[in-house]
């Protein structure tokens, strides 16, 4: 439901620098696809980056309730 980016200079004290809402899937879709999200951050002092993605609290009714929601992410690019 949301992506949050936090940065830190020391790896201990993080501050949120941006957040983006993500549109929930409203109907069943078995097509394979890649979704790309670009979040601009201006944090020249950042040495560490923490990215947090929040998933739905429970599965949509059309999907059934036999599993818990999950997020899969295999690539993160930091420029």
């Amino acid at each position: 439901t949301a992506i949050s980016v936090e940065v830190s200079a020391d790896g201990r004290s993080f501050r949120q620098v941006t957040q983006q809402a993500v549109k929930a899937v409203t109907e069943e879709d078995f097509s394979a696809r890649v979704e790309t999200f670009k979040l601009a951050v201006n944090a020249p002092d950042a040495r560490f980056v923490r990215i947090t993605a929040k998933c739905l609290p429970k599965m949509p009714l059309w999907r059934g309730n036999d599993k818990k929601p999950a997020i899969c992410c295999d690539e993160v690019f930091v420029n």
Side-chain angles (χ1 to χ4, degrees):
T1 59
I3 301 170
S4 173
V5 178
E6 299 170 277
V7 296
S8 172
D10 62 6
R12 295 176 190 197
S13 176
F14 284 83
R15 63 184 169 89
Q16 183 174 314
V17 290
T18 190
Q19 182 173 353
Q20 179 177 325
V22 177
K23 184 179 166 186
V25 177
T26 58
E27 60 186 35
E28 196 165 11
D29 182 2
F30 290 104
S31 63
R33 68 181 184 278
V34 174
E35 292 201 36
T36 301
F37 300 95
K38 294 182 180 183
L39 288 82
V41 174
N42 183 11
D45 62 332
R47 184 172 171 212
F48 300 90
V49 178
R50 177 187 293 159
I51 300 171
T52 305
K54 184 177 178 184
C55 63
L56 294 169
K58 62 180 184 175
M59 295 297 274
L61 292 176
W62 53 262
R63 184 66 178 110
N65 291 320
D66 58 337
K67 296 181 182 179
K68 292 185 178 184
I71 297 172
C72 299
C73 178
D74 64 353
E75 294 182 8
V76 174
F77 293 95
V78 178
N79 293 334

